[in-house]
Amino acid sequence: MRTIGLAIHRNYCDVAIMQEGVLHSTERIQTTPEALMLLAWSTTPGDRAGFVVYDEAWDIAQMLETHLAPVVVLTPNDAGIARVGGTSERATATALARIVATDSIEVESRAAA
């Protein structure tokens, strides 16, 4: 099982992917439809994800939710974001992937309801 942490902004998305507790990649992708669909299509049914949504990027988060379940969604104003921490969006995405992997935040299935 992989866990994916995403810090989603209007123009870019920081992505961290962990598998079996090991961080395999962190990268920044543009939030073009093509890049987002490539990310969505690269997931498998067992993948779990956590999102931190910045700016006005809720439409992007909702599109990705249809491909990733279960998922936890936070905003920078949520009390839980302090637990995620991070000095940058990339660090936040990595921390969120770790937290989701260890079930430190309750994850709910919001996709394909």
Side-chain angles (χ1 to χ4, degrees), residues 32-80:
T32 63
E34 297 82 13
L36 293 170
M37 289 311 298
L38 183 61
L39 172 65
W41 289 332
S42 72
T43 63
T44 65
D47 290 344
R48 298 172 55 204
F51 300 166
V52 176
V53 182
Y54 294 88
D55 308 325
E56 298 296 321
W58 284 103
D59 55 330
I60 296 166
Q62 290 171 340
M63 188 280 296
L64 289 171
E65 277 185 308
T66 63
H67 295 278
L68 291 164
V71 70
V72 64
V73 179
L74 301 172
T75 69
N77 297 325
D78 287 331

